[in-house]
Amino acid sequence: QVQLVESGGGLVQPGESLRLSCAASGSISNIYAMAWYRQRPGKQREYVARVTSSGATNYADSVKDRFTISRDNAKNTVYLQMNSLRPEDTAVYYCNFQAGRLAYWGQGTQVTVSS
């Protein structure tokens, strides 16, 4: 049973940075995309960033100038480097792997940006 384990969340002040990680607990074959989503308080879950196994990346406009997604295919791990964090970035962040005809989700990690 494959599980995605997230880490790196926490409480930071505006302008600071965090790096989120999400790793599969076991090997996964045929991963074709890894992505991050988030759910802000009182809002629906929204798309943040995506990277394919070939390395192509895509970002939501709200984070494009500040966040960077990367992956390590050999380790089945995806990262989200978050710079210049703002209070509106406060959310539960979820990773998502798409492999073959299956989708896997992390349990979510809390990111709070507050002074």
Side-chain angles (χ1 to χ4, degrees):
Q1 294 181 341
V2 174
Q3 292 182 294
L4 304 185
V5 181
E6 302 177 354
S7 62
L11 173 64
V12 297
Q13 295 184 347
E16 295 184 341
S17 299
L18 281 175
R19 188 179 190 236
L20 305 182
S21 299
C22 176
S25 62
S27 63
I28 302 178
S29 299
N30 302 316
I31 296 175
Y32 62 87
M34 306 177 188
W36 289 93
Y37 292 77
R38 69 185 182 187
Q39 188 167 15
R40 295 182 286 174
K43 306 294 184 180
Q44 296 185 22
R45 184 164 59 182
E46 65 183 292
Y47 166 80
V48 175
R50 184 177 188 262
V51 59
T52 69
S53 292
S54 65
T57 59
N58 185 75
Y59 299 89
D61 288 341
S62 60
V63 308
K64 187 172 296 183
D65 295 332
R66 300 179 295 119
F67 292 10
T68 302
I69 189 170
S70 60
R71 89 282 189 249
D72 186 333
N73 288 345
K75 297 181 179 179
N76 289 333
T77 301
V78 64
Y79 307 93
L80 186 67
Q81 178 67 44
M82 305 184 294
N83 298 328
S84 302
L85 284 163
R86 306 164 180 169
E88 53 263 42
D89 294 318
T90 295
V92 177
Y93 285 73
Y94 299 89
C95 61
N96 167 267
F97 284 21
Q98 294 174 303
R101 305 199 70 181
L102 300 176
Y104 303 89
W105 288 90
Q107 80 286 352
T109 185
Q110 177 71 47
V111 172
T112 302
V113 185
S114 176
S115 60

